[in-house]
Amino acid sequence: MRSLNSSLKKVVQGSLAVIASSALLVGCGQEEKQETKAASQPDKVYKLKLAETWGPNFPVFGDATKNMAAMAEKMSNGRLVITIDSSNKHKAPLGIFDMVKSGQYDLGHSGSYYWKGKVPNTLYFTSMPFGMTPAEQYAWFYHGGGMELMDQVYSPHNLLSFPGGNTDIQMGGWFQKEINSVEDLQGLKMRIPGFAGEILAELGAKPTNIAPGELYTSLERRTIDALEWVGPSLDLRMGFHKIAPYYYTGWHEPGSELQFLVNKRVYEGLPEDLQEILRVAMRTAAYDMYTQATHESGKNWVSMKSEYPDVQVKDFPPAVMSALKEANDRLLAKHAEKDELAKTIQQSQADYLQQVRSWTDISHRAYLNSQAQ
Amino acid sequence: MRSLNSSLKKVVQGSLAVIASSALLVGCGQEEKQETKAASQPDKVYKLKLAETWGPNFPVFGDATKNMAAMAEKMSNGRLVITIDSSNKHKAPLGIFDMVKSGQYDLGHSGSYYWKGKVPNTLYFTSMPFGMTPAEQYAWFYHGGGMELMDQVYSPHNLLSFPGGNTDIQMGGWFQKEINSVEDLQGLKMRIPGFAGEILAELGAKPTNIAPGELYTSLERRTIDALEWVGPSLDLRMGFHKIAPYYYTGWHEPGSELQFLVNKRVYEGLPEDLQEILRVAMRTAAYDMYTQATHESGKNWVSMKSEYPDVQVKDFPPAVMSALKEANDRLLAKHAEKDELAKTIQQSQADYLQQVRSWTDISHRAYLNSQAQ
């Protein structure tokens, strides 16, 4: 997934000044009509403001917020109006957590792992290396205790967090040279942010951060040896397939779920019907984004291959995968040592993965392998 | 998937008499308040009746209708009330299509391929052998033209059809003996209904239909050699793992999507906000059922394996899969010859599958294989 820092550099031209925009709970001036069986306060229009990390008209991610707001407004017959400020407006893509916590914004759309520097346990609710696929992770969120654990992490901050859309499995990245052994990672200059970058650093690679606008040139001129972005859904327009021969399959974000943040007091101030409209609109928009990501990835990958048929898809060799997994486990163990809740979340994810993967292996893996023969 | 006939025999004890229950659009007697910004007709309660193919409290499938109705009622603040009649009530699990078409019921929950004897092109909107997985098929429905094609099939019957919940990939079934070659299918007595049964018959097997209540004994006493049901989510309580040593992986229903049917005139008679509430509630309930099926399958498969560790998961050999695929293609070609729309739908599915699977192969297949090493 694009790092927050990347998004930041991409979309923010100027300062990080936060444009404060208060939560608005505005009655539209008509009298209350308590006697009706209908909407609890049918004369009241609730205007909520959402801040998203992404720039305006950012594909797929930005479609999720528009889809959510449109459903909410239509289902409420105009009583729940959500306006969306992209990063060009609020100038604080890194500030979504704080702005929704404080009530400057009522809602946010971002990625939970962006807040790991501030609240370390937010790391676990986007996607974990060697972790669950999108369907597996939705099952964990909604049936395996994931929502409850996420609530334990966000509740102390006056925030509600909900799944906000899945990018599908992210690719391992674009490489100028093949990776045939763990040694090939030594000194590898790769743009890969966040926790995955920490894992690679454990194996001697040199994770770097480069502004998105400079990535293409950096990879072309071999200032960096490799980079990861998302997958075909968003990689196509970056053009990396034109300049890098190897596209590695994924390991570090096997089902990245974005996040809707809601200010808890604002949510509790909504009538129950609008709470449910908001909850369902967010839930549907999240699932819908996964469907859209699946579609865009297929379409764009076909397009890349037809334009650049020499692009080679590569799997990291098993020895490299094992080394990455061991480094991942070491880093996670350090987190768990320091924090009881981190340990609980890790255990929940590990247990659930073991259970659900036993099914995925005899269903999806078996079926896809049989069809590829 | 369970055949309709099976559901029928399972849940209906007596006759197939249809209990007519008219669509009710009932004003609750309060005055209209046109001046409010709120719900378009805030004084009117819409009571809709839904008939489902399943018996009462049928797991997973029945949860989808309850989930849908609960969301609709809560989001509408009680203005859209959907009551659910299971097959014990309406006595016509095979009659959902007709009852919703005629307006005896406003809504239905069933499976599109159950109507292939009546409207052959309804076959294509549940799951096709060697076809799309759940995520791939949602992408086809919502971004690849699937919804528009489904509308062409249902619209002449005064019906709207929507995705109604996915069972996930269905297993190939429980077998008393191994299938090592195409010859092993000769004379094989297997309970496998519908189109998949036709395919097996092409290869010399003897598809049979047996009431669900007699399946366990039939398999135990080897009156039949094999049977298919759903997958661990629903197979566990049937107990087949106690008496059959081999559980074959899937090929014939790689992502079975149930169906919500809506009487078109009833839908058009709803105010726009309630139309959207109904549409979103059905869409979310469908996605939610897929998530639940994923969860239940993982949980139940772990349970089966722990209780009966000797159960062996088997893949059909490549030669058997090829023969099944060829038989499938022959049967589909016959449909396409007779019907231009069938040809169009088949082509749309084949083209879309080719596009989206190119992505699934480098994402899900690659990732799952790397993790299984």
Side-chain angles (χ1 to χ4, degrees):
Chain A
M1 180 180 284
R2 304 166 64 245
S3 75
L4 182 56
N5 202 26
S6 308
S7 308
L8 176 66
K9 290 189 179 155
K10 187 169 198 179
V11 295
V12 179
Q13 299 303 321
S15 74
L16 281 172
V18 174
I19 299 176
S21 49
S22 313
L24 296 175
L25 295 177
V26 181
C28 72
Q30 299 177 7
E31 292 175 20
E32 287 204 75
K33 298 177 189 64
Q34 295 293 357
E35 78 283 10
T36 173
K37 170 75 184 151
S40 50
Q41 295 173 287
D43 56 348
K44 200 163 178 175
V45 174
Y46 292 79
K47 292 190 178 175
L48 305 187
K49 295 195 76 169
L50 180 148
E52 63 185 3
T53 291
W54 343 110
N57 298 313
F58 194 80
V60 188
F61 297 18
D63 294 331
T65 51
K66 292 185 189 77
N67 183 23
M68 189 278 282
M71 283 189 279
E73 186 159 344
K74 207 168 169 187
M75 290 197 287
S76 68
N77 199 35
R79 292 185 306 125
L80 181 57
V81 179
I82 297 165
T83 54
I84 299 163
D85 283 356
S86 303
S87 57
N88 63 323
K89 186 81 180 287
H90 56 68
K91 314 286 187 198
L94 274 166
I96 309 291
F97 182 102
D98 287 334
M99 292 192 296
V100 179
K101 177 176 178 172
S102 70
Q104 287 174 359
Y105 277 89
D106 310 301
L107 302 165
H109 192 242
S110 192
S112 183
Y113 63 6
Y114 292 162
W115 325 122
K116 79 182 174 77
K118 183 186 301 285
V119 182
N121 288 333
T122 57
L123 172 68
Y124 300 102
F125 303 100
T126 306
S127 184
M128 292 303 288
F130 307 103
M132 294 177 264
T133 63
E136 293 173 341
Q137 190 168 268
Y138 280 126
W140 177 69
F141 272 125
Y142 296 135
H143 297 275
M147 289 300 289
E148 293 76 9
L149 290 167
M150 185 155 66
D151 193 53
Q152 283 189 49
V153 172
Y154 280 93
S155 190
H157 300 277
N158 185 39
L159 290 168
L160 299 171
S161 174
F162 300 88
N166 205 291
T167 67
D168 206 354
I169 295 176
Q170 300 210 357
M171 291 294 286
W174 295 95
F175 285 69
Q176 291 291 14
K177 55 185 186 184
E178 280 188 78
I179 302 297
N180 294 314
S181 67
V182 179
E183 288 67 41
D184 289 343
L185 295 175
Q186 285 291 324
L188 183 89
K189 280 178 287 180
M190 180 170 185
R191 182 272 176 192
I192 182 166
F195 187 65
E198 292 177 40
I199 294 171
L200 275 174
E202 286 271 307
L203 299 180
K206 305 285 179 209
T208 63
N209 218 331
I210 290 173
E214 294 160 28
L215 277 175
Y216 184 95
T217 306
S218 300
L219 187 63
E220 188 179 28
R221 297 192 185 155
R222 308 210 174 195
T223 311
I224 54 176
D225 305 304
L227 61 83
E228 71 84 48
W229 194 241
V230 177
S233 62
L234 292 176
D235 289 8
L236 174 64
R237 66 178 198 157
M238 299 297 286
F240 304 132
H241 57 293
K242 300 175 185 174
I243 50 169
Y246 305 112
Y247 201 15
Y248 272 82
T249 59
W251 61 277
H252 68 303
E253 295 198 23
S256 309
E257 187 70 31
L258 304 181
Q259 165 189 56
F260 282 114
L261 281 174
V262 186
N263 180 288
K264 205 195 282 192
R265 282 191 302 272
V266 169
Y267 187 83
E268 287 165 357
L270 292 173
E272 278 183 24
D273 57 338
L274 296 189
Q275 283 180 349
E276 179 72 351
I277 281 176
L278 179 59
R279 182 191 74 83
V280 175
M282 291 188 297
R283 190 168 177 121
T284 309
Y287 283 133
D288 273 350
M289 191 186 112
Y290 174 39
T291 297
Q292 185 187 2
T294 301
H295 171 70
E296 298 285 336
S297 292
K299 184 166 61 80
N300 290 358
W301 175 233
V302 165
S303 173
M304 282 182 193
K305 276 194 308 183
S306 100
E307 208 186 339
Y308 288 85
D310 292 341
V311 166
Q312 289 182 55
V313 172
K314 290 277 185 188
D315 299 319
F316 291 110
V320 172
M321 288 294 262
S322 296
L324 290 167
K325 178 82 167 61
E326 284 162 22
N328 173 69
D329 294 348
R330 279 197 303 277
L331 287 173
L332 285 181
K334 280 187 201 167
H335 287 220
E337 273 168 29
K338 290 181 294 190
D339 185 330
E340 198 58 36
L341 183 53
K343 191 176 169 185
T344 302
I345 299 168
Q346 286 182 20
Q347 195 60 51
S348 169
Q349 292 189 325
D351 291 348
Y352 198 82
L353 176 59
Q354 189 174 28
Q355 174 179 295
V356 73
R357 184 61 54 78
S358 77
W359 161 243
T360 307
D361 272 342
I362 66 170
S363 55
H364 290 257
R365 188 164 75 88
Y367 179 67
L368 293 172
N369 282 337
S370 78
Q371 298 309 293
Q373 282 163 353
Chain B
M1 181 180 287
R2 305 166 62 244
S3 75
L4 182 56
N5 202 29
S6 308
S7 307
L8 176 65
K9 290 190 179 156
K10 187 168 199 178
V11 295
V12 179
Q13 300 302 323
S15 73
L16 281 171
V18 173
I19 299 175
S21 49
S22 313
L24 296 175
L25 296 177
V26 180
C28 72
Q30 298 176 6
E31 293 175 19
E32 287 204 75
K33 297 176 189 65
Q34 294 293 356
E35 77 284 10
T36 172
K37 170 75 185 155
S40 51
Q41 296 173 286
D43 55 347
K44 201 164 180 176
V45 174
Y46 292 80
K47 293 189 177 173
L48 305 187
K49 294 197 78 170
L50 180 147
E52 62 184 5
T53 290
W54 342 109
N57 298 314
F58 193 81
V60 187
F61 296 19
D63 294 331
T65 52
K66 292 185 189 76
N67 183 22
M68 189 277 283
M71 283 189 279
E73 186 159 344
K74 207 167 171 189
M75 289 197 287
S76 69
N77 199 33
R79 292 185 306 125
L80 181 57
V81 179
I82 297 165
T83 54
I84 299 162
D85 282 357
S86 303
S87 57
N88 63 323
K89 186 80 181 286
H90 57 68
K91 313 287 188 196
L94 275 165
I96 309 291
F97 182 102
D98 286 334
M99 293 193 295
V100 179
K101 177 176 177 171
S102 71
Q104 286 173 359
Y105 277 88
D106 308 302
L107 302 165
H109 192 241
S110 193
S112 183
Y113 64 6
Y114 292 160
W115 324 122
K116 79 183 175 74
K118 184 187 300 286
V119 181
N121 287 333
T122 57
L123 171 66
Y124 300 103
F125 303 99
T126 306
S127 183
M128 293 302 289
F130 308 103
M132 293 176 265
T133 63
E136 293 173 343
Q137 190 167 268
Y138 280 126
W140 176 70
F141 272 125
Y142 295 135
H143 296 276
M147 288 300 288
E148 293 77 8
L149 289 166
M150 185 155 66
D151 193 55
Q152 283 189 48
V153 172
Y154 280 93
S155 189
H157 300 278
N158 186 37
L159 290 167
L160 300 172
S161 175
F162 300 88
N166 205 290
T167 67
D168 207 353
I169 295 176
Q170 300 210 358
M171 290 296 283
W174 296 95
F175 286 69
Q176 291 291 15
K177 54 185 187 185
E178 280 188 78
I179 303 297
N180 294 314
S181 67
V182 179
E183 289 66 42
D184 289 343
L185 295 175
Q186 285 292 323
L188 183 89
K189 279 180 288 182
M190 179 168 186
R191 181 272 178 192
I192 181 167
F195 188 65
E198 293 178 40
I199 294 171
L200 275 175
E202 286 270 309
L203 299 180
K206 305 286 180 208
T208 64
N209 218 333
I210 292 173
E214 296 160 28
L215 277 175
Y216 184 94
T217 307
S218 301
L219 186 64
E220 188 179 28
R221 297 191 185 156
R222 308 212 173 194
T223 312
I224 53 176
D225 306 304
L227 60 81
E228 71 86 45
W229 194 243
V230 176
S233 61
L234 292 176
D235 289 7
L236 173 64
R237 64 178 199 158
M238 300 297 285
F240 305 130
H241 56 293
K242 300 175 184 173
I243 50 169
Y246 305 112
Y247 202 15
Y248 272 83
T249 58
W251 61 277
H252 68 304
E253 295 197 22
S256 308
E257 187 71 31
L258 303 181
Q259 165 189 54
F260 282 114
L261 280 174
V262 186
N263 179 288
K264 205 195 281 190
R265 281 190 303 272
V266 169
Y267 188 83
E268 288 166 357
L270 293 173
E272 278 183 24
D273 56 339
L274 296 189
Q275 283 180 349
E276 180 71 353
I277 281 175
L278 180 59
R279 182 191 75 81
V280 174
M282 293 188 296
R283 191 169 178 120
T284 309
Y287 283 133
D288 273 350
M289 191 187 112
Y290 175 39
T291 297
Q292 185 188 1
T294 301
H295 171 71
E296 297 286 336
S297 292
K299 183 166 62 79
N300 290 358
W301 175 234
V302 165
S303 174
M304 283 182 192
K305 276 194 307 182
S306 101
E307 208 186 338
Y308 289 84
D310 293 340
V311 166
Q312 289 182 54
V313 173
K314 290 277 186 187
D315 301 319
F316 291 110
V320 171
M321 289 294 260
S322 296
L324 290 167
K325 178 83 166 66
E326 283 163 22
N328 173 69
D329 293 349
R330 280 198 303 277
L331 287 173
L332 284 181
K334 280 188 201 167
H335 286 220
E337 272 168 28
K338 290 182 293 191
D339 185 329
E340 197 59 36
L341 183 53
K343 190 175 169 185
T344 303
I345 299 168
Q346 285 183 21
Q347 195 61 52
S348 169
Q349 292 189 326
D351 290 348
Y352 198 81
L353 177 58
Q354 187 174 29
Q355 173 178 295
V356 73
R357 184 62 53 79
S358 76
W359 162 242
T360 307
D361 273 341
I362 66 169
S363 54
H364 290 256
R365 189 164 74 88
Y367 179 67
L368 292 171
N369 282 336
S370 78
Q371 298 308 293
Q373 282 164 352

